[in-house]
Amino acid sequence: MELIDLLQQQLLQDDLSEAITTAASMHPADVAEALQEVAIQKQAVFLAALPHRQAAEILQKLELEEEVLILNQIGPTLATEILREMSTDDATDLLAKLPKESSDKLILLLQEEGQGLRELLEYEEDTSGGLMATEFVAVREDQTVVEVLSLLRKQAPAADIAYYIYVVDHTNKLTGVLSLRELVVSPLTAEIGSIMMRDVVSVPEDMDQEEVARLFDKYSFLVLPVVDEENRLIGIITVDDVLGVVEEEATEDIHKSASISPLETNYANAGVFTLFSKRVFWLLGLIIVNLISTGIMAAYEDVLASVITLTFFIPLLIDTGGNTGSQSATLIIRALVTKDVELSDWRDVFLKELAVGVSLGLVLGIAGSCLGLFRGDLRVAIVVGLTMSAIVIVANLIGMILPFILTHLRMDPAVISAPLITSIVDAVGLLIYFSIAAWVFQFSL
Amino acid sequence: MELIDLLQQQLLQDDLSEAITTAASMHPADVAEALQEVAIQKQAVFLAALPHRQAAEILQKLELEEEVLILNQIGPTLATEILREMSTDDATDLLAKLPKESSDKLILLLQEEGQGLRELLEYEEDTSGGLMATEFVAVREDQTVVEVLSLLRKQAPAADIAYYIYVVDHTNKLTGVLSLRELVVSPLTAEIGSIMMRDVVSVPEDMDQEEVARLFDKYSFLVLPVVDEENRLIGIITVDDVLGVVEEEATEDIHKSASISPLETNYANAGVFTLFSKRVFWLLGLIIVNLISTGIMAAYEDVLASVITLTFFIPLLIDTGGNTGSQSATLIIRALVTKDVELSDWRDVFLKELAVGVSLGLVLGIAGSCLGLFRGDLRVAIVVGLTMSAIVIVANLIGMILPFILTHLRMDPAVISAPLITSIVDAVGLLIYFSIAAWVFQFSL
């Protein structure tokens, strides 16, 4: 942390040459952290003064929004030089964020490399094609260990690219893989074809990034090759690129659970209008669902007017129902999203949640009737207790069933947010409440 | 997928020798997947028939609960042989799940290795010490490249262990690191001290696993060394171990957001009683918070009795308030947990959420007054519209402020669940509602 503070101070005081010296012994991620409190102009001047490779490494560690601002500051010629030093996956992410005009200009200036980036830009951002880098080490089966070692010496690829050496045939089709470790411990004259593993796990170019992350987790791979529909090797994904994906997807799911549309940026970078628009339509939509509750209340106006005590328990009852439904929905959605539970498990899950719901219903029903006795009389206690049990059991099952139905319909179960469950359960809960009340108090409508 | 189905069929039909042949060409993770539908006894018989190394690799890919059942089936002698072939981090996780008696027995049988595992068992499960494996390649500065290469040939460590070679002094203190790639491209006679990187990022043995995951993400490392308080190298963590952590922590946070205590297992493995107990105390606790709402309703009994129409809007108003508060709380908690927003940013965040809240309040207030006009009269419309705006603005700020207060008190902000926010906002919302109603309808209490 000390070096970060020192660099920050030097930059704020415009000690450019000292800052360059300090940064030389720092990890690019730490330099990027130091830059965060510094004005964009100063960041640009500093990065322009660094060796292009170092500037590229630091730039890759900044937020995309900042990268764009800095590129605009330093001008196209220098930007081109720095982009050339970035890994293709990061360069592509950056170009995708630029206005079409600027990115076209940079791609043109990048000439041959630019053409490769243009192709990468075609991939959807959240697929394996959008994640992959096109830097990798590929050799042929008939090469020997010593040939590949000398190739590595010549190419000097970045460390995380060289961990696996991919083997392709003359049409570039992926036929095998070997780890650098295997290469190192094999006899120098051995042919690659005799030591490589032929059973290569690869991912298609259009696989969803969440799926890719799950493969990394399942197989404990550090790198996965990406192939096109003809099994030709077109890129690699390293596990560190996926680490961010898992957190990003979790954030999106957490936001959805509270009825917030995906922000597409992090909270700190989201403006007031973005936050407003990602929330307002959900809130308005939920109001419409809530109108059902309002209607039910109006329909039972007579019951309410006669036993006003009953209204006291409305927030308590509908909240408890909403809470119970949110709990089961949250558990089931997360289990479905992480593939812990499959669609075909619905019967087991239903029975499990029925048992849990009945247990919860018993305990909460007793609690509810005690409160009823305290605020009202025996009849109120009976109504509140019975309603509480019924609402809890029903809400628990609604929270379980809806995510399964959505998954069955091939929709994202995470759309079943806690607020939506709450609104649905409210209406159902009020119906249960008034039905039981009407029955116990012998009202007729 | 085809091989997985084939193996499953062979196991179900007790074609043991054919199953062994099929499994030989499969990735351990795929074999583990095939085993999932097979009875534990059959799994045990099959694993016992495999080479110990292969059995260990497959076992590591199963759920911990299953591993424990299988170990019990195959008996201590074979269990010891298989444990010996597992990586130390996985073996430790497994031993930690066994009853004390069984794990002590196995540790004794494992002799020297057992002692190492016993030490690993001392670490908290969710810290760097609990994640690390003690297999790593460590060399001295004065060794040459060719010496290290021949050491690697002799040790033949697993591929993911050999990516980085750590350099230690005679007291085992970490002094440098070099990647296998650097080793491979360096002159054979070079001394390690002259090519290694001296600025090693390492983690202390007691670092929280979420923090470790964040370091991996920040620096894009694939492996991180773990050191004790004297900077002695004691283990390594590979990024694939952390991938699961990120998902696990996200699941825990998602569960907390719905007032569910951490399950400590996945949903599919959680029994009815576990699910019940992780939920019931929260639901009961929330009932107590909800009693405030019941009390407020009772206090305003006269208002309710005189204008019964007002009760119709209670679910709508308190739900919308709860939804708004849950949205802002969810956004802020996630931003705080992922360090996207820091405690010191509270002023900016407050102003941002004030602006968002006022915008939402205006839109929803208009919607509310329309509904009031539809169900009641002009006065009801005024009361419902004003209340809606006020509740939305206040709820939005409550959702923002509470997580900051908890973080300030060094408590986990994720405790502020959507149900808790809802319950708090309900009480506040009812107070606002009745105050405005009493003012517009000129009631006095």
Side-chain angles (χ1 to χ4, degrees):
Chain A
M1 267 315 261
E2 280 173 30
L3 275 180
I4 294 178
D5 292 337
L6 177 67
L7 177 61
Q8 203 163 74
Q9 215 172 2
Q10 289 167 338
L11 286 170
L12 291 172
Q13 295 168 356
D14 295 313
D15 290 339
L16 199 60
S17 70
E18 280 179 45
I20 292 171
T21 315
T22 310
S25 64
M26 286 170 67
H27 191 283
D30 289 326
V31 177
E33 195 181 321
L35 286 179
Q36 242 138 54
E37 302 293 311
V38 176
I40 289 288
Q41 282 89 340
K42 284 192 187 180
Q43 291 188 34
V45 170
F46 172 64
L47 288 173
L50 292 177
H52 299 328
R53 167 67 68 105
Q54 196 188 354
E57 283 170 351
I58 295 166
L59 213 55
Q60 287 174 197
K61 291 291 175 187
L62 291 171
E63 293 289 336
L64 271 177
E65 287 81 359
E66 270 185 289
E67 287 187 64
V68 171
L69 292 175
I70 291 173
L71 278 203
N72 280 337
Q73 283 281 327
I74 60 177
T77 319
L78 189 51
T80 313
E81 291 306 317
I82 292 178
L83 272 173
R84 218 185 281 280
E85 298 291 339
M86 288 174 80
S87 63
T88 46
D89 52 343
D90 290 313
T92 311
D93 288 345
L94 181 48
L95 287 174
K97 273 275 170 181
L98 290 173
K100 182 95 179 71
E101 206 178 324
S102 317
S103 67
D104 278 349
K105 192 168 170 188
L106 287 175
I107 286 171
L108 213 68
L109 284 168
L110 281 164
Q111 294 167 331
E112 210 176 304
E113 285 108 322
Q115 194 46 42
L117 293 178
R118 192 190 296 278
E119 281 165 26
L120 280 178
L121 277 171
E122 300 288 316
Y123 292 103
E124 291 286 334
E125 214 186 329
D126 53 358
T127 64
S128 41
L131 281 177
M132 73 182 180
T134 50
E135 295 93 350
F136 50 80
V137 183
V139 301
R140 294 287 175 81
E141 286 191 33
D142 57 3
Q143 287 184 285
T144 60
V145 169
V146 69
E147 281 170 8
V148 174
L149 284 174
S150 81
L151 179 83
L152 285 177
R153 259 172 236 268
K154 227 180 295 160
Q155 288 190 353
D160 58 341
I161 292 168
Y163 290 127
Y164 294 96
I165 292 142
Y166 295 98
V167 188
V168 294
D169 67 11
H170 64 285
T171 61
N172 218 17
K173 278 189 186 134
L174 187 61
T175 61
V177 65
L178 81 165
S179 71
L180 185 56
R181 200 263 323 182
E182 280 156 332
L183 188 76
V184 167
V185 303
S186 297
L188 291 176
T189 54
E191 276 200 6
I192 298 301
S194 69
I195 54 172
M196 72 183 194
M197 230 183 58
R198 286 178 191 275
D199 190 21
V200 198
V201 177
S202 62
V203 299
E205 54 195 330
D206 56 357
M207 186 182 260
D208 183 82
Q209 59 179 5
E210 263 187 284
E211 205 61 37
V212 175
R214 205 148 290 126
L215 277 183
F216 271 108
D217 194 29
K218 175 176 175 189
Y219 292 106
S220 303
F221 288 136
L222 296 182
V223 184
L224 271 174
V226 183
V227 295
D228 65 13
E229 63 273 34
E230 318 251 306
N231 198 33
R232 283 184 299 236
L233 180 62
I234 54 173
I236 60 169
I237 304 175
T238 43
V239 62
D240 61 289
D241 293 324
V242 169
L243 207 56
V245 167
V246 176
E247 189 160 288
E248 217 176 85
E249 298 278 351
T251 299
E252 237 183 76
D253 283 346
I254 288 176
H255 287 172
K256 279 187 207 155
S257 79
S259 289
I260 303 161
S261 301
L263 294 185
E264 277 141 41
T265 177
N266 49 4
Y267 179 83
N269 285 320
V272 169
F273 181 72
T274 306
L275 290 171
F276 170 76
S277 62
K278 300 290 179 187
R279 296 173 57 182
V280 71
F281 296 107
W282 277 105
L283 290 174
L284 285 171
L286 289 165
I287 284 191
I288 293 172
V289 181
N290 270 317
L291 285 184
I292 306 172
S293 298
T294 312
I296 293 171
M297 298 275 281
Y300 285 85
E301 186 171 354
D302 298 339
V303 182
L304 285 173
S306 325
V307 194
I308 200 81
T309 321
L310 286 178
T311 59
F312 305 166
F313 298 96
I314 290 176
L316 176 74
L317 290 168
I318 64 180
D319 271 11
T320 306
N323 294 343
T324 311
S326 304
Q327 282 184 336
S328 62
T330 303
L331 283 168
I332 303 303
I333 290 167
R334 187 65 185 161
L336 284 168
V337 167
T338 60
K339 306 269 154 104
D340 174 23
V341 158
E342 305 273 344
L343 195 54
S344 56
D345 300 328
W346 70 269
R347 219 178 304 255
D348 292 345
V349 174
F350 181 86
L351 292 175
K352 196 186 238 182
E353 284 308 319
L354 185 63
V356 174
V358 169
S359 319
L360 291 174
L362 277 176
V363 173
L364 294 167
I366 293 169
S369 55
C370 294
L371 298 178
L373 208 55
F374 171 69
R375 280 266 172 222
D377 53 17
L378 187 63
R379 283 200 298 181
V380 172
I382 292 171
V383 172
V384 174
L386 282 179
T387 306
M388 187 70 107
S389 293
I391 286 183
V392 165
I393 294 169
V394 171
N396 201 53
L397 289 182
I398 291 177
M400 174 257 146
I401 291 167
L402 287 183
F404 268 96
I405 292 179
L406 259 74
T407 309
H408 180 68
L409 298 175
R410 293 172 190 281
M411 288 166 69
D412 180 3
V415 172
I416 301 292
S417 58
L420 182 58
I421 285 283
T422 304
S423 303
I424 294 171
V425 166
D426 279 2
V428 177
L430 287 171
L431 266 185
I432 295 175
Y433 188 35
F434 292 130
S435 307
I436 293 178
W439 173 64
V440 171
F441 287 94
Q442 299 294 327
F443 282 109
S444 57
L445 287 170
Chain B
M1 269 314 262
E2 280 171 30
L3 275 180
I4 295 179
D5 292 337
L6 176 66
L7 178 60
Q8 206 164 72
Q9 216 172 357
Q10 290 168 339
L11 286 170
L12 291 173
Q13 295 169 357
D14 295 312
D15 291 339
L16 198 59
S17 71
E18 280 180 44
I20 292 171
T21 315
T22 310
S25 65
M26 286 170 68
H27 191 283
D30 290 326
V31 178
E33 196 181 318
L35 287 179
Q36 242 137 53
E37 302 293 312
V38 177
I40 289 289
Q41 283 89 339
K42 286 194 187 181
Q43 291 187 35
V45 170
F46 172 64
L47 288 174
L50 292 178
H52 299 328
R53 167 66 68 104
Q54 197 188 354
E57 283 170 353
I58 295 166
L59 212 56
Q60 287 174 196
K61 289 292 175 186
L62 291 172
E63 293 290 336
L64 271 177
E65 287 80 1
E66 271 184 287
E67 286 186 64
V68 171
L69 292 175
I70 291 173
L71 278 203
N72 281 337
Q73 284 281 328
I74 60 177
T77 320
L78 189 52
T80 313
E81 291 307 317
I82 292 178
L83 271 173
R84 219 185 282 280
E85 298 290 340
M86 287 174 80
S87 63
T88 47
D89 51 344
D90 291 313
T92 311
D93 289 345
L94 181 48
L95 287 174
K97 273 277 169 177
L98 290 174
K100 182 97 179 67
E101 206 179 322
S102 318
S103 68
D104 278 349
K105 192 167 168 190
L106 287 174
I107 286 170
L108 214 68
L109 285 168
L110 280 165
Q111 295 167 330
E112 209 175 305
E113 285 108 321
Q115 193 46 43
L117 293 178
R118 192 190 295 278
E119 280 166 27
L120 279 178
L121 277 171
E122 301 288 314
Y123 291 104
E124 291 286 334
E125 212 186 330
D126 54 357
T127 64
S128 40
L131 281 177
M132 73 184 180
T134 50
E135 295 93 350
F136 50 78
V137 183
V139 301
R140 295 287 176 79
E141 285 191 33
D142 57 3
Q143 287 184 285
T144 59
V145 169
V146 69
E147 281 170 9
V148 174
L149 283 174
S150 80
L151 179 84
L152 285 177
R153 260 173 234 269
K154 227 180 295 162
Q155 290 190 350
D160 58 340
I161 292 167
Y163 291 127
Y164 294 96
I165 291 141
Y166 294 98
V167 189
V168 294
D169 67 11
H170 64 284
T171 62
N172 218 16
K173 279 190 187 135
L174 187 62
T175 61
V177 64
L178 82 164
S179 70
L180 185 56
R181 201 263 321 183
E182 279 156 332
L183 188 77
V184 167
V185 302
S186 297
L188 292 176
T189 54
E191 277 199 6
I192 298 301
S194 70
I195 54 172
M196 73 184 194
M197 230 184 58
R198 284 177 192 279
D199 190 21
V200 197
V201 177
S202 63
V203 299
E205 53 195 331
D206 56 357
M207 186 182 262
D208 182 82
Q209 59 179 5
E210 263 187 284
E211 204 63 37
V212 176
R214 205 149 288 125
L215 276 184
F216 271 108
D217 193 29
K218 176 176 172 188
Y219 292 107
S220 303
F221 288 136
L222 296 183
V223 184
L224 271 173
V226 183
V227 296
D228 66 12
E229 63 273 32
E230 317 250 305
N231 197 34
R232 283 185 299 237
L233 180 62
I234 55 174
I236 60 169
I237 303 175
T238 42
V239 62
D240 60 290
D241 293 324
V242 168
L243 207 55
V245 166
V246 176
E247 189 160 288
E248 216 175 85
E249 298 277 351
T251 299
E252 234 183 79
D253 283 347
I254 287 176
H255 287 172
K256 280 187 206 156
S257 79
S259 288
I260 303 162
S261 300
L263 294 186
E264 276 141 39
T265 177
N266 48 5
Y267 179 82
N269 285 318
V272 170
F273 181 72
T274 306
L275 290 171
F276 170 77
S277 63
K278 300 291 180 187
R279 296 173 56 183
V280 70
F281 297 108
W282 277 106
L283 291 174
L284 286 171
L286 289 165
I287 283 190
I288 294 172
V289 180
N290 270 317
L291 285 183
I292 306 172
S293 297
T294 313
I296 292 171
M297 298 274 283
Y300 284 86
E301 186 171 353
D302 299 340
V303 181
L304 284 174
S306 324
V307 193
I308 200 81
T309 320
L310 286 178
T311 59
F312 305 165
F313 298 97
I314 289 175
L316 176 74
L317 290 168
I318 65 181
D319 271 9
T320 306
N323 294 343
T324 312
S326 304
Q327 283 184 335
S328 63
T330 303
L331 283 169
I332 304 302
I333 290 168
R334 187 66 186 160
L336 284 168
V337 167
T338 59
K339 306 271 154 100
D340 173 25
V341 158
E342 304 274 342
L343 195 55
S344 56
D345 300 328
W346 70 269
R347 217 179 303 256
D348 292 345
V349 174
F350 181 87
L351 291 175
K352 197 187 238 181
E353 284 308 318
L354 185 64
V356 174
V358 169
S359 318
L360 292 173
L362 276 176
V363 173
L364 294 167
I366 292 169
S369 56
C370 294
L371 298 177
L373 209 55
F374 171 68
R375 281 263 171 225
D377 54 15
L378 188 63
R379 283 200 300 183
V380 172
I382 292 171
V383 173
V384 174
L386 282 179
T387 306
M388 187 69 107
S389 292
I391 286 183
V392 165
I393 294 169
V394 171
N396 200 53
L397 289 182
I398 291 177
M400 173 258 145
I401 292 167
L402 286 182
F404 268 95
I405 292 178
L406 259 75
T407 309
H408 179 69
L409 299 174
R410 292 175 190 282
M411 288 167 68
D412 180 3
V415 172
I416 300 292
S417 58
L420 182 56
I421 285 283
T422 303
S423 304
I424 295 171
V425 166
D426 279 1
V428 176
L430 287 171
L431 265 184
I432 294 176
Y433 189 35
F434 293 130
S435 306
I436 293 178
W439 173 64
V440 170
F441 286 95
Q442 297 293 327
F443 283 108
S444 56
L445 288 171

